[in-house]
């Protein structure tokens, strides 16, 4: 008995495409792209073509066939990154001598049999609207379903996605809708209802496409591809395939297209068509004898014949019936013309161009969204016949993944018609490399030298600067000297600059006396110039003139308190003076005096000298982990803080920030140091960090006015989210998955995990390591209590899911004794949690998770008026006493949380939006109303923000209530999947699926499949 298993072999091939052909990861354009019949006479070429659905390619650059000996040629183009995958390429052939077909794909007639009739699988349907009596005609495959018919009607009529089309059938004295899955069968006349339409209404853009298809069909008929192709175009536009209808539609289309710019070439092509309707030639004279002087019985001469006859260069008997040795009738027998013909018949020129992406794709927030990618061959220019290298060619690709579907064809057509003309005019001129190949413009008027024009001098200063940068200091000094010889007495500012530069040259080669002399001459011209004073300080220090060097560097810092001058002053003082506390105090007082006199540069110089004179920190051995004591820590902190204040007055914010940080490190309880660090951080855009330091200062000194003002400024600025971390967070995270296809990522939700309980931590580690790697998890607060536990929890969950979205609950904002030194209040801890999320790659800001799916975190706090029975704060209630707020926790914290959400609600969301918060947004949701619990349960105003996103598909996830819930309220799905402190005791405690990648879902999913992992 044969016990061997059967073998099944599966062979998979790609579905045939009308425009491209697949070859591995590459795509090959089936038809050639025409460059035009006269392209060889233009220095620049232009072409464009559609590829697959939702993509369009534009090419522009130098013409490789310009003044070519051949009137025809091919340019083979490879566009890397435009294939089936990012590693594949798109291959196409641009043909010289082939008419350009415009931006619309050429018409392809329906399949035909050997007899030339329509394929037996294609049928013609008549569709009538029940309300308006409108009628259209469409051609479709006889095995199509009613859903296919409905999609074809929407495509032909160019209806929007929101339109409704219902196919109706006669049933029981009335009409009932067809099912989309029902086969067409023997139906050839159908009724429909829904969005009203009266028939076919061709827009100018559709008329343009219609004429292009007519031209393409006419050219196809010349090759014998079809007997009557023009009538076959009509059903593609909903028209009845009759000659009278074709004639009327052509007249209407020409009239509408004439209103568009740049359409004269297309109109001329339509006018010159040789076939019409049934394929009979216009002006065809069967049986008639050709008239002398005509061609093939037609009175129309070619352009060559007309030219030769006008200038008496044609043959004596005319061109009628005359066969030349060349076998042609449209050229003269003149040797020059024959040589030109011979050159054209030698062969076609060929060229190969490889285009590579230039930078990253640029997203355009159109509707539907699309991206633009630029290509160039500047790095890979291949050879072609007749030229050493291919000329520069550039490409622009428009890609819109939402428009790749057949039902989005009308939206893609509208987007392309509005965007492609703009890119034709602007896209290739925004790059310098593109502009360089354009012809140079001439001056508007002739330039004649003036009678008293001065001869142009050598740019000695520029040559000197270049030589100095190259390290040729002697040559640079010589160039600067030659500048003085040519210019003499000129602008004092320029003279001072040249003298200072020459002083630097002499200092570099060790001629310090000459350097000092040039620097002093520069000071005579510009007495308050810090660079010249620094040149004197350097020369004096090298010459051993210490006191003069210190004074010069002090002046340099006073006039130009740059980091280079400050470091040079400190270095000179350190070399010439040892530690001296008394002198340090004296310099500190001098700096204070300069501050009171608003001489902030001089103050920086005095504090710099004082810092150098302070004795260094003791390096005595201390136990590991214990910082050594510094008996001069307060003085050092005061000096750094004062210098930071001077830098703030000078608006040197980075220097002020560095000094203030050193001041806080030396003495963490110094209030002024905290205030100045907060001021510098606030000016640098680090508002979150600035708030923490202002809050620390107020914790040390409750009524400090500077700290109060600074903290209030931070509280006012934060809701705008224009800080550097917030802008970076939005820029890097919001659109990263905007193009991710639907169905590739699911969204799960959970709340109140309490990871700091051992059973819940074990539960989080039991989540399958591979099952959810492409999915998203929403954590709606109360993940744990402390920062360290929160970091462990988020790290664990981030390893299980592709993205984790998180908002803090009330437990995360508690301040434990171990966190009091790091976070002065709960708002500071909230900002610290956001910073930690950035480090771990966890999302706390809105972001797209796939195409048309957005997740929006909403911060929240509870309000006492959530308790409709007693909507007033209870002074005896002590909810969340571990929290400390800079605002009134009963009446202001919940309002501030809502204020922080307002900027996130202004983004252009579409499709499905999943919002989530920790606290309840509505009293209608279930919760425990025992005692005073309702006062700390939710915020009714939060629901107004949830409903402000007026979209069809909305979900809101929340927590805190300890009640499982998933129901629709006012068109919004509210979900609470509470885990709880003991939820981890159930081995497979599930997650809740709120979106399956394609649509909203409502079901629980176990955290892993397979056998039990732990024993009960």
């Amino acid at each position: 008995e044969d016990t061997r298993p059967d073998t099944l072999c599966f062979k998979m091939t790609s579905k045939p495409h009308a425009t491209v052909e697949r070859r591995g990861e590459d795509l090959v354009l089936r038809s050639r792209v025409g460059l035009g019949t006269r392209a060889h006479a233009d220095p620049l070429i232009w072409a464009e073509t559609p590829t697959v659905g939702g993509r369009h390619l534009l090419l522009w650059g130098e013409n490789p066939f310009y003044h070519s000996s051949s009137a025809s040629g091919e340019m083979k183009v490879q566009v890397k990154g435009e294939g089936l995958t990012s590693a594949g390429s798109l291959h196409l052939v641009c043909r010289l001598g082939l008419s350009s077909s415009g931006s619309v794909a050429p018409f392809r007639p329906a399949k035909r049999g050997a007899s030339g009739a329509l394929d037996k699988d294609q049928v013609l349907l008549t569709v009538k609207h029940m309300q308006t009596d409108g009628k259209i005609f469409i051609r479709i495959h006889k095995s199509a379903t009613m859903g296919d018919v409905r999609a074809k009607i929407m495509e032909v009529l160019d209806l929007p996605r929101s339109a409704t089309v219902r196919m109706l059938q006669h049933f029981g004295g009335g009409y009932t809708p067809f099912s989309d899955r029902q086969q067409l069968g023997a139906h050839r006349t159908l009724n429909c209802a829904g969005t009203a339409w009266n028939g076919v209404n061709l827009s100018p853009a559709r008329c343009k496409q219609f004429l292009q298809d007519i031209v393409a069909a006419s050219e196809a008929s010349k090759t014998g591809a079809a007997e009557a192709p023009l009538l076959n175009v009509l059903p593609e536009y909903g028209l009845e395939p009759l000659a009278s209808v074709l004639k009327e539609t052509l007249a209407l289309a020409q009239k509408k297209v004439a209103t568009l710019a740049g359409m004269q070439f297309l109109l001329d092509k339509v006018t010159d068509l040789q076939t019409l309707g049934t394929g009979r030639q216009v002006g065809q004279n069967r049986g008639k004898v050709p008239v002398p002087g005509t061609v093939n019985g037609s009175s129309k001469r070619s352009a060559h014949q007309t030219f030769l006859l006008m200038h008496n260069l044609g043959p004596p008997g005319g061109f009628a019936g005359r066969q030349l040795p060349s076998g042609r009738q449209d050229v003269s027998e003149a040797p020059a013309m024959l040589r030109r013909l011979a050159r054209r018949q030698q062969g076609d020129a060929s060229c190969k161009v490889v285009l590579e992406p230039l930078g990253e794709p640029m997203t355009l927030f159109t509707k539907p969204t699309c991206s633009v990618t630029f290509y160039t061959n500047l790095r890979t220019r291949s050879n072609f016949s007749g030229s050493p290298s291919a000329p520069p060619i550039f490409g622009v690709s428009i890609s819109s993944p939402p428009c790749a579907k057949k039902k989005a064809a009308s939206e893609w057509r509208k987007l392309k018609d509005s965007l492609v003309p703009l890119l034709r005019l602007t896209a290739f001129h925004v790059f310098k490399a593109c502009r360089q190949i354009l012809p140079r413009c001439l001056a508007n008027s002739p330039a004649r030298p003036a009678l008293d024009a001065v001869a142009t001098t050598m740019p000695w200063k520029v040559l000197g600067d270049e030589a100095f940068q190259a390290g040729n200091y002697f040559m640079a000094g010589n160039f600067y000297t030659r500048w003085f010889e040519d210019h003499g007495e000129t602008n004092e500012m320029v003279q001072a600059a040249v003298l200072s530069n020459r002083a630097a040259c002499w200092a570099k080669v060790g001629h310090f006396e000459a350097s000092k002399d040039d620097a002093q001459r520069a000071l005579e011209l510009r007495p308050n110039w810090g660079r010249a004073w620094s040149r004197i300080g350097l020369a004096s220090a090298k010459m051993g003139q210490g006191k003069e060097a210190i004074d010069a560097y002090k002046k340099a810092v006073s006039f130009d308190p740059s980091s280079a001058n400050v470091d040079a002053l400190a270095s000179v003082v350190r070399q010439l003076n040892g530690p001296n506390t008394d002198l340090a105090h004296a310099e500190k007082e001098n700096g204070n005096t300069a501050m009171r006199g608003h001489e902030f540069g001089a103050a920086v110089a005095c504090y710099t000298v004082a810092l150098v004179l302070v004795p260094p920190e003791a390096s005595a051995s201390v136990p590991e982990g214990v910082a050594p004591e510094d008996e001069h820590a307060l003085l050092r902190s005061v000096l750094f803080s004062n210098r930071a204040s001077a830098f703030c007055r000078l608006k040197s914010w980075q220097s002020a920030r560095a000094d203030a940080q050193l001041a806080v490190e030396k003495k963490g309880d110094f209030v002024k140091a905290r205030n100045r660090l907060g001021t510098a951080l606030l000016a640098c855009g680090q508002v979150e960090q600035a708030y923490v330091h202002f809050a620390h200062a107020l914790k040390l000194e409750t009524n400090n006015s500077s700290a109060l003002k600074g903290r209030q400024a931070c509280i006012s600025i934060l809701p705008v989210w224009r800080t550097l971390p917030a802008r970076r967070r939005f820029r890097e995270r919001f659109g990263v998955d905007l193009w991710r296809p639907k169905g590739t990522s699911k969204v799960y939700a959970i709340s109140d995990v309490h990871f700091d309980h051992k059973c819940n931590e074990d539960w989080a580690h039991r989540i399958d390591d591979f099952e959810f790697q492409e999915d998203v998890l929403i954590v709606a607060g109360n993940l744990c209590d402390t920062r360290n536990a929160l970091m462990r929890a988020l790290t664990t969950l981030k390893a299980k899911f592709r993205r984790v979205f998180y908002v803090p609950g009330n437990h995360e904002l508690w301040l434990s004794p171990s966190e009091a030194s790091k976070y002065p209040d709960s708002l500071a801890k909230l900002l610290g949690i956001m910073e930690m999320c950035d480090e771990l790659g966890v999302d706390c800001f809105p972001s797209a998770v796939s195409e048309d799916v957005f997740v929006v975190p909403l911060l929240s706090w509870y309000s006492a008026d959530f308790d409709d029975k007693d909507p007033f704060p209870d002074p005896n209630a002590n909810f969340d006493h571990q929290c400390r707020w800079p605002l009134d926790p009963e009446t202001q914290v919940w309002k501030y949380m809502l204020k922080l959400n307002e900027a996130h609600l202004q983004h252009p969301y579409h499709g499905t939006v999943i919002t989530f918060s920790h606290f309840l947004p509505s009293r209608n949701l279930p919760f425990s109303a025992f005692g005073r619990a309702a006062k700390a349960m939710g915020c009714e105003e939060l629901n107004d923000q949830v409903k402000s996103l007026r979209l069809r598909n909305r979900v809101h996830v929340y927590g805190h209530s300890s009640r499982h819930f998933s129901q629709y309220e006012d068109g919004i799905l509210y979900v609470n999947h509470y885990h709880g402190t003991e939820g981890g005791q159930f081995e497979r405690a599930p997650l809740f699926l709120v979106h399956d990648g394609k649509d909203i879902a409502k079901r629980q999913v176990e955290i892993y499949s397979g056998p039990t992992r732990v024993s009960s």
Side-chain angles (χ1 to χ4, degrees):
E1 183 180 357
D2 189 2
T3 59
R4 290 179 300 174
D6 295 334
T7 301
L8 299 177
C9 297
F10 296 92
K11 182 178 180 181
M12 302 181 66
T13 59
S14 58
K15 183 179 179 180
H17 195 274
T19 308
V20 296
E21 177 184 351
R22 178 182 175 184
R23 295 180 184 174
E25 294 185 350
D26 293 350
L27 298 177
V28 180
L29 200 65
R30 292 181 181 272
S31 59
R32 298 185 179 185
V33 180
L35 298 177
T37 56
R38 298 289 299 169
H40 63 280
D42 297 326
L44 302 175
I45 58 170
W46 166 269
E48 60 177 295
T49 179
T51 56
V52 295
R55 288 191 192 177
H56 195 80
L57 180 67
L58 295 86
L59 301 174
W60 181 85
E62 283 191 6
N63 188 355
F65 312 111
Y66 183 49
H67 285 167
S68 173
S69 59
S70 175
S72 59
E74 288 186 347
M75 182 174 69
K76 299 179 180 179
V77 182
Q78 176 186 357
V79 186
K80 294 186 176 180
E82 286 289 315
L84 193 64
T85 65
S86 58
S89 301
L90 172 67
H91 298 267
L92 62 143
V93 177
C94 297
R95 181 68 179 175
L96 183 67
L98 183 65
S99 299
S100 177
S101 61
S103 60
V104 184
F107 167 77
R108 291 177 178 82
K111 293 182 179 180
R112 302 173 176 276
S115 62
L118 284 175
D119 191 349
K120 60 182 179 179
D121 292 336
Q122 297 285 333
V123 296
L124 186 68
L125 292 184
T126 303
V127 182
K128 181 181 179 181
H129 198 285
M130 296 290 293
Q131 286 87 10
T132 63
D133 291 332
K135 185 185 294 185
I136 64 171
F137 300 84
I138 61 174
R139 181 178 288 114
I140 198 166
H141 198 275
K142 68 178 183 180
S143 63
T145 64
M146 290 301 171
D148 298 332
V149 174
R150 183 168 54 83
K152 184 69 173 179
I153 294 173
M154 295 185 67
E155 178 185 354
V156 168
L157 294 177
D158 199 14
L159 296 178
R161 272 184 168 180
S162 58
T164 57
V165 177
R166 296 190 300 273
M167 309 307 300
L168 304 178
Q169 59 179 332
H170 191 74
F171 181 79
Y175 289 90
T176 183
F178 279 106
S179 170
D180 280 352
R181 296 183 179 180
Q182 183 170 342
Q183 296 291 325
L184 178 62
H187 293 284
R188 295 298 178 264
T189 301
L190 296 173
N191 296 315
C192 75
T195 302
W197 47 267
N198 293 314
V200 179
N201 184 18
L202 296 178
S203 63
R206 292 276 287 170
C207 289
K208 171 187 171 184
Q209 184 178 1
F210 174 75
L211 295 181
Q212 289 171 340
D213 288 350
I214 288 292
V215 172
S218 175
E219 292 178 353
S221 69
K222 296 176 184 178
T223 60
E227 181 182 354
L230 301 189
L231 296 181
N232 299 331
V233 179
L234 295 176
E236 299 297 326
Y237 294 85
L239 302 171
E240 187 176 6
L242 297 176
S244 58
V245 177
L246 176 61
K247 184 176 180 180
E248 295 175 1
T249 309
L250 278 175
L252 176 63
Q254 288 177 292
K255 184 177 179 180
K256 289 188 176 182
V257 170
T259 62
L260 302 177
M263 293 293 105
Q264 189 58 44
F265 176 77
L266 178 59
L267 294 174
D268 293 343
K269 291 282 290 183
V270 175
T271 305
D272 294 339
L273 285 179
Q274 297 296 316
T275 59
L276 181 64
T278 60
R280 183 175 54 86
Q281 292 186 356
V282 178
Q284 188 176 22
N285 300 309
R286 289 191 177 96
K288 293 187 179 181
V289 180
V291 180
T294 63
V295 179
N296 293 335
S298 173
S299 60
K300 184 176 178 181
R301 298 190 185 94
S302 68
H304 288 96
Q305 294 172 349
T306 303
F307 174 82
L308 294 174
L309 291 176
M310 285 177 57
H311 297 277
N312 297 320
L313 297 176
F319 291 99
R322 185 178 178 86
Q323 291 290 337
L324 303 181
S326 59
R328 296 169 58 96
Q329 294 186 340
D330 57 347
V331 295
S332 170
E333 293 185 10
M337 299 296 290
L338 294 178
R339 285 195 299 268
R340 178 182 299 179
L341 177 62
R343 286 196 302 269
R344 290 184 178 180
Q345 293 176 344
Q346 285 177 357
D348 297 343
S350 62
C351 171
K352 183 178 180 181
V353 175
V354 180
L355 300 180
E356 294 184 343
L358 186 63
E360 296 295 328
M362 181 173 62
T363 301
L364 303 180
F365 290 97
T366 56
K367 189 176 181 180
T369 52
C370 68
S371 63
V372 175
T373 308
F374 296 89
Y375 297 91
T376 182
N377 69 331
L378 295 181
R379 287 177 293 183
T380 56
R381 293 169 64 179
S382 307
N383 292 341
F384 77 101
S385 60
S387 179
S389 63
I393 301 293
F394 304 89
V396 177
S397 174
I398 314 168
S399 176
S400 179
C403 295
K405 302 177 182 178
K406 183 181 295 185
K407 62 182 180 181
S410 60
E411 295 187 8
W412 169 240
R413 191 181 304 112
K414 293 178 181 178
L415 176 65
K416 189 170 62 172
D417 289 344
S418 60
L419 189 58
V420 170
L422 177 64
L423 292 177
R424 288 196 196 108
L425 297 175
T426 61
F428 296 105
H429 290 184
V430 297
F431 293 104
K432 183 178 180 181
C434 293
R435 294 193 299 272
Q436 286 178 346
I437 69 174
L438 292 174
R440 298 293 185 266
C441 298
L442 299 177
N444 292 330
S445 60
R448 298 184 179 87
L451 297 177
D452 54 349
V454 181
T456 304
T457 59
M458 286 291 293
W460 298 117
K461 182 178 181 301
V462 176
L463 295 175
D465 295 342
E466 294 176 353
F468 186 88
Q469 294 174 1
N472 300 322
Y473 304 118
F474 277 112
M475 185 178 295
N478 182 42
F479 287 147
Y480 292 134
T481 303
R482 296 289 299 273
W483 183 90
F484 280 104
E485 294 176 0
D486 284 356
H487 290 78
E489 300 292 334
T490 56
N491 190 337
E492 292 183 354
M493 301 287 286
V494 181
Q495 287 188 60
V498 175
L499 285 170
S500 175
N501 292 352
R502 193 169 67 176
C505 295
W506 302 148
K508 288 289 186 179
V509 297
H511 293 177
F512 298 111
E513 292 183 0
S515 175
K516 184 176 180 181
D517 180 61
D518 275 350
Q520 288 175 339
R521 290 176 59 190
L523 280 178
E524 294 176 1
L525 300 172
R526 295 179 63 181
N528 298 332
W529 193 21
R531 185 182 299 178
W533 280 110
S534 66
R535 305 277 193 242
I536 292 178
L538 176 62
S540 299
K542 295 296 184 179
M543 294 167 61
Q545 301 170 357
K547 182 66 170 61
E548 188 175 352
I550 292 176
D551 293 341
Y553 272 122
K554 276 189 173 182
K555 289 285 188 181
V557 174
S558 299
F559 297 122
D560 182 15
S562 62
S563 58
N565 289 341
V566 170
D567 293 342
L569 173 61
S571 177
V572 172
V573 173
R574 191 175 293 109
Q575 292 176 5
L576 299 178
N577 297 289
N580 191 323
T581 307
D582 295 335
L583 286 178
H585 280 285
E587 288 291 344
K588 172 180 168 293
E589 292 302 323
N590 293 336
N592 294 342
T593 302
M595 287 289 291
R596 288 190 290 270
H598 298 281
E599 298 176 356
F600 306 118
V604 171
C606 294
Y607 294 137
T608 301
V609 175
L611 281 168
V612 176
L613 295 176
V614 175
E617 299 180 19
S619 59
S621 60
V622 294
E624 185 178 357
V626 178
E629 295 185 1
D630 182 9
E631 58 179 327
H632 301 289
L634 179 59
L635 176 59
R636 213 183 307 274
S637 178
V638 168
L639 290 173
F640 276 121
S641 175
N642 290 357
R643 193 169 73 171
S645 178
F647 277 127
C648 285
R649 296 296 186 90
L650 293 167
K651 292 183 173 53
S652 298
W653 304 115
Q654 295 296 338
S655 300
R657 174 183 174 181
D659 277 355
Q661 284 177 335
L662 290 173
V664 171
E665 290 176 6
K666 303 302 178 186
K667 196 72 174 173
D669 57 354
F670 186 32
V671 176
K672 288 186 177 179
R674 293 280 186 180
N675 286 339
R676 283 155 188 171
L677 179 54
T679 302
L681 289 170
L682 189 60
C684 293
Q686 301 285 352
V687 182
E688 294 88 343
Q689 297 181 26
Y691 174 84
V692 174
H693 290 286
F694 285 128
H696 271 298
L698 284 172
K699 188 176 180 180
L700 297 169
E701 187 177 327
T702 308
N703 297 322
N704 187 280
S705 60
S706 298
L708 283 170
K709 291 180 181 178
R711 188 183 70 176
Q712 188 59 39
C714 294
I715 291 175
S716 302
I717 295 173
L718 276 173
V720 186
W721 295 119
R722 294 295 184 184
T723 63
L724 289 179
R727 284 186 290 180
R728 181 174 58 250
R729 190 180 303 142
F730 178 80
R731 182 176 61 250
E732 294 178 355
R733 309 290 295 178
F734 182 80
V736 66
D737 287 331
L738 198 59
W739 304 112
R740 189 178 183 89
K742 286 184 178 180
T744 60
S745 187
K746 301 176 182 178
V747 182
Y748 297 87
I750 198 168
S751 70
D752 302 272
V753 176
H754 297 286
F755 186 85
D756 37 13
H757 288 69
K758 183 67 168 57
C759 62
N760 291 331
E761 183 174 357
D762 295 340
W763 170 85
H765 286 288
R766 287 199 298 271
I767 298 176
D768 195 284
D769 294 327
F770 305 101
E771 181 70 21
F772 308 101
Q773 284 298 315
E774 295 297 323
D775 300 329
V776 176
L777 177 66
I778 292 175
V779 183
N782 279 4
L783 186 55
C784 46
D785 296 351
T786 63
R787 182 185 185 278
N788 292 336
L790 181 61
M791 178 173 286
R792 296 200 323 273
L794 291 176
T795 302
T796 302
L797 295 177
K798 187 65 175 66
K800 308 289 185 178
F801 293 84
R802 180 174 63 85
R803 296 185 74 170
V804 174
F805 286 81
Y806 165 74
V807 291
N810 54 321
H811 281 236
E812 286 92 341
L813 301 181
W814 291 352
L815 293 177
S816 63
S818 62
E819 295 174 329
S821 60
K822 184 175 181 62
Y823 300 118
D825 57 32
S826 295
L827 181 56
K829 186 175 181 181
L830 172 63
L831 299 176
I833 288 174
M834 289 185 174
E835 182 181 0
M836 181 185 66
C837 289
D838 293 339
E839 296 173 358
L840 298 178
V842 174
D843 292 279
C844 56
F845 265 31
S847 176
V849 296
S850 67
E851 182 184 348
D852 294 337
V853 181
F854 295 84
V855 176
V856 182
L858 297 177
L859 298 172
S860 59
W861 199 251
Y862 48 80
S863 171
D865 60 7
F866 196 78
D867 185 2
D868 55 352
K869 298 180 181 179
D870 180 22
F872 302 102
D874 188 349
N876 298 322
N878 195 14
F879 303 118
D880 297 309
H881 64 277
Q882 301 95 325
C883 294
R884 288 194 292 272
W885 294 100
L887 307 169
D888 184 359
E890 299 292 344
T891 60
Q892 292 183 331
V893 173
W894 65 271
K895 294 180 181 178
Y896 190 69
M897 291 295 185
L898 297 181
K899 195 72 175 176
L900 292 173
N901 295 333
E902 289 181 357
H904 299 331
L905 300 173
Q906 306 302 318
H907 299 311
Y909 302 115
H910 57 274
T912 301
V913 175
I914 305 173
T915 57
F916 70 101
S917 63
H918 176 67
F919 291 98
L920 278 70
S922 174
R923 299 188 189 98
N924 299 328
L925 302 175
F927 63 92
S928 175
F930 179 77
R932 294 168 295 186
K935 296 183 183 296
M937 191 58 59
C939 177
E940 191 71 23
E941 286 77 4
L942 178 62
N943 207 28
D944 296 337
Q945 292 189 337
V946 174
K947 293 182 178 180
S948 66
L949 300 173
R950 300 184 179 276
L951 298 173
R952 181 179 300 176
N953 299 322
R954 289 175 291 174
V955 181
H956 184 78
V957 179
Y958 66 95
H960 193 68
S961 66
S962 306
R963 299 288 182 88
H964 290 270
F965 183 77
S966 59
Q967 289 186 16
Y968 279 92
E969 295 283 346
D970 297 331
I972 302 174
L973 176 63
Y974 290 91
V975 175
N976 182 4
H977 189 66
Y978 176 81
H979 187 76
T981 57
E982 299 180 355
Q985 294 181 2
F986 301 96
E987 180 190 357
R988 303 193 190 192
L991 302 169
F992 194 89
L993 179 66
V994 296
H995 198 278
D996 61 5
K998 296 181 179 179
D999 202 354
I1000 295 174
K1002 288 174 54 180
R1003 67 174 184 272
Q1004 296 183 1
V1005 177
E1006 292 186 347
I1007 59 174
Y1008 71 88
S1009 58
T1012 302
R1013 298 183 181 179
V1014 296
S1015 60
S1016 58

